[in-house]
């Protein structure tokens, strides 16, 4: 089912389904030092507490995914497991559109809070989350890295869904 069109683009945001697992793993591999496999994504998508959204080029269901977000909801507390937008599709509003689709779904499910962890040096992601109203609630010193680029802290961020700036 099509949910809505992100602003100024030719993409649509739809629910992630298990048959997307391979495409999601491909996109995840582009950006994360420890990529998750197709099997891992498939197993996550089989769980009834896990769900997500995909951004796709309209009318091209077989084209590579432009982006996705995956989350878990347990009781009234949710967490973003991972989110990525393909490099060629960044800064088109897709990251925000994926997060807003997630927030709408969480509102519908009566979730109260949404948590995530992000590398403090990941400016695009930190900017996106702050714009959505997330606030830093904890910090894990030296959680990321350790190679030639050194270590960086993980920020634990929380969004109170009662205050999230999306229409319900
Ligand atoms: C983080 C990510 C998902 C953002 O996706 P995106 O589609 O490019 O984001 P959007 O176009 O929706 O932009 C959202 C906001 O972030 C800002 N932003 C995006 N890229 C930015 C950058 N490189 N520098 C500064 N701000 C940036 C946008 O300007 C926008 O802010 P605005 O609403 O004030 O204009 C994308 O950069 C990505 O996939 N990164 C690699 C994977 C990753 O780091 N995931 C997060 C792990 S916690």
């Amino acid at each position: 089912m099509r949910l809505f069109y992100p602003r100024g683009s030719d993409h649509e945001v739809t629910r992630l389904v298990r048959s997307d697992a391979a495409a999601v793993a491909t996109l995840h591999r582009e950006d994360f030092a420890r990529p998750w496999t197709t099997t891992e994504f498939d197993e996550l998508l089989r769980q009834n507490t896990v769900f997500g959204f995909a951004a796709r080029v309209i009318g091209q269901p077989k084209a590579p995914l432009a982006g996705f977000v995956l989350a878990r909801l347990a009781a009234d507390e949710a967490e973003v497991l991972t989110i990525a937008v393909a490099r060629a599709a960044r800064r088109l509003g897709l990251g925000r559109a994926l997060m807003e689709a997630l927030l709408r779904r969480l509102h519908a499910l009566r979730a109260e809070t949404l948590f995530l962890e992000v590398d403090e040096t990941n400016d695009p992601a930190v900017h996106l989350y702050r714009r959505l109203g997330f606030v830093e609630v904890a910090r894990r010193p030296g959680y990321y890295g350790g190679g030639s680029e050194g270590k960086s802290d993980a920020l634990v961020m929380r969004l109170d869904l009662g205050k999230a700036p999306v229409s319900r």
Side-chain angles (χ1 to χ4, degrees):
M1 181 184 68
R2 177 183 298 168
L3 295 177
F4 62 93
Y5 297 90
R7 68 175 187 268
S9 79
D10 54 358
H11 295 82
E12 62 187 356
V13 172
T14 60
R15 285 291 292 272
L16 261 187
V17 291
R18 274 183 68 193
S19 57
D20 290 323
V24 167
T26 300
L27 201 47
H28 194 262
R29 205 160 38 234
E30 275 187 25
D31 286 304
F32 293 94
R34 289 185 211 88
W36 301 352
T37 64
T38 299
T39 305
E40 286 172 310
F41 278 112
D42 183 58
E43 282 169 1
L44 282 167
L45 286 164
R46 284 168 63 173
Q47 297 172 25
N48 58 13
T49 54
V50 174
F51 61 95
F53 294 90
R56 308 168 198 275
V57 178
I58 292 168
Q60 294 185 34
K62 294 197 187 305
L65 288 187
F68 75 93
V69 63
L70 196 65
R72 173 181 280 127
L73 174 63
D76 55 10
E77 198 172 289
E79 65 173 319
V80 175
L81 298 176
T82 181
I83 177 172
V85 169
R87 284 169 197 198
R90 288 195 189 152
R91 304 210 78 163
L92 295 174
L94 295 181
R96 188 177 179 108
L98 287 161
M99 286 298 295
E100 288 187 342
L102 174 62
L103 297 184
R104 284 193 181 87
R105 181 76 187 133
L106 290 172
H107 278 303
L109 294 169
R110 303 279 186 262
E112 291 194 357
T113 44
L114 175 59
F115 287 91
L116 57 81
E117 280 185 24
V118 59
D119 186 329
E120 62 172 345
T121 65
N122 188 343
D123 292 337
V126 172
H127 184 98
L128 169 62
Y129 302 143
R130 290 214 164 106
R131 286 279 284 163
L132 289 167
F134 282 85
V135 293
E136 182 184 330
V137 290
R139 186 176 276 264
R140 299 187 205 283
Y143 186 78
Y144 292 108
S148 56
E149 291 171 12
K151 291 194 171 200
S152 53
D153 294 355
L155 306 182
V156 181
M157 303 186 86
R158 185 184 70 205
L159 180 66
D160 176 350
L161 291 165
K163 296 177 185 165
V166 291
S167 54
R168 295 193 200 183

